[in-house]
Amino acid sequence: MSMTLPCDDGDSPVAIVTAASRGIGHATALKLAHDGYRLALLARGSEIEVLAKDFGALAVVGSVTDPDDLQRLVETTVARYGRIDAVVNNTGHAPSGRLLELSDMEWMAGVDMYLLNVVRMTRLVVPEMLAAGRGGAIVNVSSLSAAQPDQRFLLSSTLRGALPGIAKLFAAEFAGQDLRMNNLLPGRVSPQPEDRIANVPAGRAASSNEIANMIAFLLSPGAAYVNGQSLIIDGGLSATV
């Protein structure tokens, strides 16, 4: 495990982004850096150090499924910047398989990947946010399958299905202290094979940048009254009301 510590200046807000080396996490890091956030980035590969160097950001090599890595990420962020204002809980992918095929070990890997990562990070950052007295916002990057279950993504569909309840309970407890938690549920995100976007009314998959723009909004003061929500961004694909 290794990390890069950047030079710090100014009093701009501080955001943690996990699984930040590619895809939605990478796009989110780019967007938040552009918006003036000081960043702490987590990913499993050492390439996160290269990305962080480009931003003058903090990089921690580790996994969202490892409680020690998450604790090290939060402690290092507070030691470097003195505060945490925003968290983007983004993840990789758990094993796929049908209900009768998945082993207990694969289920537990999914729990760590899709559910406990949010619980563990919340336990770590909320005391820091409260102590700083500046408020804070958490966005959990979920999936459309949490609202519209998909046999192809069984672990995501079931385990991420718990995140709306967590966000509601978080808002009920902490909204009065200016803390917010929302879930974002992307549908098809590029790149996608043609057969997976054939039924998307928009006629295409979303770009990672489009997802990142919505994450940035949910973290921003413009979304100060949005709390405990699970927002779908899917080009009109979902059939839920």
Side-chain angles (χ1 to χ4, degrees), residues 98-150:
R98 298 181 70 83
L99 180 61
L100 303 184
E101 298 170 349
L102 291 165
S103 68
D104 286 1
M105 186 176 296
E106 288 170 324
W107 273 100
M108 294 309 299
V111 170
D112 281 333
M113 179 73 71
Y114 293 139
L115 183 57
L116 283 181
N117 71 307
V118 170
V119 174
R120 289 164 176 158
M121 182 67 83
T122 301
R123 281 199 304 248
L124 290 166
V125 300
V126 165
E128 300 295 342
M129 290 175 170
L130 292 175
R134 300 170 181 262
I138 299 171
V139 174
N140 306 317
V141 181
S142 181
S143 168
L144 176 62
S145 64
Q148 190 164 296
D150 189 323

Side-chain angles (χ1 to χ4, degrees), residues 19-166:
S21 62
R22 64 192 67 178
I24 291 172
H26 181 273
T28 300
L30 288 171
K31 171 61 176 172
L32 296 182
H34 179 268
D35 289 352
Y37 284 82
R38 293 174 289 169
L39 296 176
L41 308 176
L42 177 77
R44 290 179 294 182
S46 59
E47 65 271 16
I48 195 63
E49 296 177 318
V50 177
L51 177 65
K53 185 176 181 180
D54 291 341
F55 297 154
L58 167 69
V60 174
V61 177
S63 171
V64 299
T65 65
D66 188 326
D68 291 338
D69 287 348
L70 294 180
Q71 182 170 353
R72 184 164 53 89
L73 170 64
V74 171
E75 289 178 349
T76 307
T77 303
V78 173
R80 184 64 188 90
Y81 298 122
R83 59 195 265 199
I84 298 171
D85 302 281
V87 175
V88 180
N89 285 315
N90 184 48
T91 72
H93 300 285
S96 60
R98 298 181 70 83
L99 180 61
L100 303 184
E101 298 170 349
L102 291 165
S103 68
D104 286 1
M105 186 176 296
E106 288 170 324
W107 273 100
M108 294 309 299
V111 170
D112 281 333
M113 179 73 71
Y114 293 139
L115 183 57
L116 283 181
N117 71 307
V118 170
V119 174
R120 289 164 176 158
M121 182 67 83
T122 301
R123 281 199 304 248
L124 290 166
V125 300
V126 165
E128 300 295 342
M129 290 175 170
L130 292 175
R134 300 170 181 262
I138 299 171
V139 174
N140 306 317
V141 181
S142 181
S143 168
L144 176 62
S145 64
Q148 190 164 296
D150 189 323
Q151 287 279 9
R152 294 168 294 185
F153 312 109
L154 188 141
L155 291 178
S156 179
S157 297
T158 54
L159 299 173
R160 281 172 162 160
L163 294 179
I166 290 175

